[in-house]
Amino acid sequence: MSQALPPQSAELAPGKGSVIDEVLEEKISGTTNRIEPMIIFKVMQSGFFRGMLESPHLGDSREGNLEKPITFDERTGITPEDMEYFCKVLDIRAFQQPPKLSPAQWASAYRLAKMWEFEQLRDYIFKFLDKSVKDPFERLEFADMLGVETWIIPALAQICQRTNPVTVDEAARLGYARLVKVCKQRERGRSGYEISDYETWLAKSEE
């Protein structure tokens, strides 16, 4: 099966004399991260950065160069580690293998791609995030953190169908409202029911 390739075509290329035609620097919590020219075109796929760097009405017209780098501090909730994982994915070339990231690291990269409106990159990252997170409790936690609502009902349905009872720790991870929903559906019994049955019942309970 062929490996999915990251998006390569730029939606908008910086013109001559652009403030990001040489290098874009981002300073985070005292650490400077350089995004080299080879991925500048990819940076311009971002609606967030494109608007920031091209609008004459936002900040300094020279923002984004070495003298006036775009800066993210602790108020943004972005860490140097977040940028490291994001840049590893952003810097992938065609026909290269994707970086080996943990589910939490894929989630970190996805969060920034979504925040900064890298639509193609966000969808690319999501494919690997979806494959790497299997546990239903983890899927619920990542769904809440990243706003992936399509994961919630299938994950709850998995918990409803399994034979093992919900543990105290798992109940705490679910939270009161979801625990009640799971217990209610598990009262139906689990013999003969498919995950799709629980998905249907859970979806109706949301209406």
Side-chain angles (χ1 to χ4, degrees), residues 122-137:
R122 176 203 62 202
D123 294 343
Y124 171 76
I125 295 171
F126 184 79
K127 293 178 182 179
F128 294 96
L129 179 63
D130 191 29
K131 292 177 182 178
S132 66
V133 183
K134 302 298 183 183
D135 179 77
F137 293 94

Side-chain angles (χ1 to χ4, degrees), residues 11 42-51 86 110-122:
E11 295 178 3
K42 293 183 182 179
V43 171
M44 291 302 284
Q45 291 179 2
S46 162
F48 175 87
F49 285 115
R50 193 166 61 240
F86 175 76
Y110 178 86
R111 183 174 72 89
L112 296 191
K114 182 178 180 182
M115 179 191 303
W116 290 334
E117 302 173 25
F118 285 89
E119 295 181 0
Q120 290 179 311
L121 188 65
R122 176 203 62 202

Side-chain angles (χ1 to χ4, degrees), residues 130-148:
D130 191 29
K131 292 177 182 178
S132 66
V133 183
K134 302 298 183 183
D135 179 77
F137 293 94
E138 288 188 353
R139 288 180 77 86
L140 287 171
E141 290 165 349
F142 281 121
D144 291 338
M145 180 175 68
L146 303 173
V148 185

Side-chain angles (χ1 to χ4, degrees), residues 3-6 88-89 92-93 95-101 106 124 128:
Q3 182 65 263
L5 297 178
K88 281 184 177 180
V89 182
I92 295 173
R93 301 295 184 272
F95 307 110
Q96 284 184 332
Q97 292 295 316
K100 294 182 179 180
L101 302 179
W106 279 117
Y124 171 76
F128 294 96

Side-chain angles (χ1 to χ4, degrees), residues 83-94:
M83 277 299 300
E84 177 185 353
Y85 308 140
F86 175 76
C87 287
K88 281 184 177 180
V89 182
L90 184 66
D91 198 27
I92 295 173
R93 301 295 184 272

Side-chain angles (χ1 to χ4, degrees), residues 46-76:
S46 162
F48 175 87
F49 285 115
R50 193 166 61 240
M52 176 183 290
L53 297 173
E54 293 190 335
S55 173
H57 307 293
L58 295 177
D60 194 306
S61 62
R62 295 289 300 173
E63 185 177 21
N65 63 9
L66 289 172
E67 289 74 29
K68 294 184 179 294
I70 297 172
T71 303
F72 301 102
D73 57 27
E74 63 277 0
R75 291 172 297 179
T76 66

